[in-house]
Amino acid sequence: MLAIINKYMKNKIKHIILNKNFLFGVISVVLLSGVFLGGMYFEYTHRPYSDRISGISNMQSPDNSVDMEPFWQVWNTIDQKFPGAKNISSQDRMYGAIKGLVGSLGDPYSVYFPPQDSKDFSDTINGSFEGIGMEIGIKDGAMNVIAPLKNTPAEKAGLKSGDIILKINASSTSDMSVDQAVHIIRGPKGTPVTLNIYRAGEKQARDITVIRDVIEVPMIDSKDLGNGVFKISLYTFGADSDRQFANAINEFLKSGDTKLIIDLRGDPGGFLDSAINIASMFLPKGDVIVTESFGGNQKDEISRSKGYGFVDPSKVKIVILVDGGSASASEILSGALQQHGVAKLIGEQTYGKGSVQDVTSVTNNTTLKLTIAKWLTPDGTWISKKGLTPDIVVKLPDTVTTTDLVLNRALQYFKDGK
């Protein structure tokens, strides 16, 4: 078994090298985060979740039925009447117009990135940026903290999944897009940003000031907890997450432990391929992991387990810890293992990010992230906005506690089987 894992990891390293050349050599990349995937929007950039990357193809001629006269009337009126219009380049105006075009879709996960935003996106893929280290998104019409990343200024300042961001540096978020919020939150190391947040259970909003820093995106931790229990914490589904997860599984198998905890709390997602490869370590070959439903005349795309066979679920008891910050790729992995009876979910309802984004290079320095499909769990359920319901729900108190109630509930489940 260990030889199979080692062979997989060698092949995976080669796979990543090829993808890296592709990513920085030409057109685009496929991300799974939000939140890589994402869906959601990381404070530093989109990090959804089951995203995929491709080039633009099948370019069509302009739609001659569209009356472009109002556009040019507004353009010329700005030239004639707006103070300082000469200080705004025509190219920047065009970027703004394209962002408005994408914004007309009313989809918070579809975004156009002008040059600087596109660079920020690339920096995020490289895994290092300056900011506070959290993912944000719009849910139920409000700007939400999806998840602070582990050991980042956002987490250390006390920001939590589900916090509603009312203001950023005194600017209201009521009419603010996620990418606008990202621009304000990002900034040089050592500088402050103040978020006015409302937290469920509290009587009034409060300010939290966070000092920006260089953020190194964490990926994975593993630990032998004793008493036959081994814990793997996955913080994001990056391009290398599946290889690192395979290393952790190697450690687990060598330990002789028979109980495995996969902690996906606060994991906003990432690369779809990573989620599929990790699920394939547990599921028999051919089992459905996720279905991408494109609608219209395009056929659904089903991703099935590759049957790596690293772990025999009949010999290992598995639980997955989840919360409101578990999204996209986290939900894909959790839903697949839960619905195939391989693992029990313990914790809180997950985020509910059920769409797939395509990330495309429009020019050599601009990018489009566009929702192209919704994804379904193995039983055909679309979890958008609803999320996944744990097999064992743990209701957390409103007051802060140092006790990890969700982890303790998992240990209890291992002990008494319920």
Side-chain angles (χ1 to χ4, degrees):
M1 181 62 67
L2 299 183
I4 295 176
I5 294 178
N6 290 332
K7 181 179 179 181
Y8 163 80
M9 290 190 292
K10 289 179 181 178
N11 290 337
K12 179 60 184 172
I13 292 172
K14 180 180 179 183
H15 173 72
I16 289 175
I17 291 173
L18 291 173
N19 276 339
K20 187 174 181 181
N21 290 338
F22 172 70
L23 169 60
F24 295 105
V26 227
I27 346 184
S28 59
V29 212
V30 177
L31 302 175
L32 244 203
S33 208
V35 289
F36 55 163
L37 291 180
M40 288 153 286
Y41 204 106
F42 278 91
E43 158 260 320
Y44 36 92
T45 182
H46 272 307
R47 177 73 177 269
Y49 356 103
S50 26
D51 293 349
R52 90 178 44 236
I53 296 159
S54 65
I56 295 180
S57 60
N58 299 322
M59 297 295 291
Q60 297 181 358
S61 300
D63 185 349
N64 293 325
S65 67
V66 177
D67 181 9
M68 295 297 296
E69 183 62 26
F71 176 84
W72 293 114
Q73 284 182 356
V74 171
W75 184 287
N76 292 330
T77 300
I78 289 173
D79 279 340
Q80 296 166 13
K81 297 184 178 181
F82 183 76
K86 293 181 179 179
N87 297 326
I88 304 172
S89 72
S90 295
Q91 188 62 66
D92 283 339
R93 279 198 235 169
M94 182 55 67
Y95 290 146
I98 298 173
K99 291 177 73 172
L101 172 63
V102 177
S104 71
L105 302 175
D107 174 30
Y109 304 129
S110 295
V111 181
Y112 174 73
F113 297 110
Q116 184 58 51
D117 293 345
S118 189
K119 180 182 180 299
D120 292 343
F121 181 79
S122 178
D123 290 344
T124 300
I125 292 175
N126 288 328
S128 178
F129 57 93
E130 290 183 321
I132 66 174
M134 70 176 182
E135 178 189 11
I136 62 175
I138 295 176
K139 188 173 185 179
D140 299 327
M143 192 77 68
N144 275 247
V145 174
I146 306 306
L149 299 179
K150 185 176 177 62
N151 295 324
T152 60
E155 184 188 58
K156 293 173 183 176
L159 289 162
K160 297 181 179 297
S161 298
D163 285 347
I164 297 174
I165 304 172
L166 302 176
K167 297 179 182 178
I168 306 172
N169 287 343
S171 296
S172 173
T173 62
S174 59
D175 296 317
M176 191 180 291
S177 67
V178 175
D179 53 322
Q180 288 172 328
V182 169
H183 273 300
I184 302 174
I185 294 174
R186 283 178 59 96
K189 173 183 176 179
T191 59
V193 59
T194 298
L195 307 180
N196 182 255
I197 65 107
Y198 172 76
R199 182 172 297 165
E202 296 186 352
K203 293 183 178 180
Q204 59 185 18
R206 57 190 169 107
D207 286 343
I208 295 181
T209 298
V210 190
I211 304 300
R212 301 178 178 102
D213 202 346
V214 175
I215 307 300
E216 299 290 342
V217 180
M219 202 162 288
I220 196 167
D221 276 334
S222 59
K223 186 177 182 180
D224 192 328
L225 301 182
N227 298 317
V229 180
F230 194 91
K231 180 169 173 277
I232 301 175
S233 300
L234 188 60
Y235 305 116
T236 186
F237 285 75
D240 196 36
S241 293
D242 45 358
R243 186 187 68 83
Q244 293 192 33
F245 194 92
N247 277 330
I249 288 295
N250 199 355
E251 292 179 39
F252 166 64
L253 296 175
K254 286 180 178 179
S255 72
D257 293 334
T258 58
K259 303 177 184 69
L260 177 64
I261 295 174
I262 303 172
D263 193 347
L264 298 181
R265 290 176 293 176
D267 185 332
F271 284 82
L272 178 58
D273 283 350
S274 290
I276 292 170
N277 283 333
I278 292 173
S280 296
M281 298 176 192
F282 300 90
L283 299 176
K285 186 174 182 178
D287 276 5
V288 174
I289 295 173
V290 63
T291 298
E292 294 173 63
S293 178
F294 299 92
N297 297 322
Q298 189 171 348
K299 187 177 180 180
D300 289 353
E301 186 172 314
I302 301 175
S303 294
R304 299 180 181 274
S305 171
K306 300 168 187 177
Y308 295 137
F310 291 2
V311 178
D312 183 349
S314 67
K315 298 179 180 178
V316 176
K317 206 168 186 179
I318 305 170
V319 302
I320 300 177
L321 309 185
V322 295
D323 65 6
S326 307
S328 192
S330 288
E331 293 172 301
I332 288 172
L333 176 60
S334 299
L337 298 194
Q338 180 191 43
Q339 293 185 6
H340 284 295
V342 169
K344 295 288 186 182
L345 303 192
I346 298 179
E348 301 174 286
Q349 198 82 3
T350 64
Y351 180 80
K353 198 279 178 178
S355 59
V356 181
Q357 281 69 45
D358 180 269
V359 181
T360 304
S361 292
V362 180
T363 66
N364 63 357
N365 63 352
T366 64
T367 306
L368 173 66
K369 189 163 86 72
L370 184 68
T371 295
I372 59 170
K374 59 184 181 182
W375 66 262
L376 313 175
T377 59
D379 68 0
T381 300
W382 187 36
I383 67 160
S384 184
K385 298 183 180 180
K386 299 177 293 185
L388 296 168
T389 300
D391 299 285
I392 299 174
V393 176
V394 180
K395 183 171 176 54
L396 300 180
D398 294 331
T399 55
V400 177
T401 175
T402 57
T403 303
D404 192 335
L405 299 177
V406 177
L407 176 59
N408 286 349
R409 185 64 183 86
L411 296 176
Q412 179 186 337
Y413 168 75
F414 284 142
K415 185 177 180 179
D416 58 26
K418 58 183 180 179

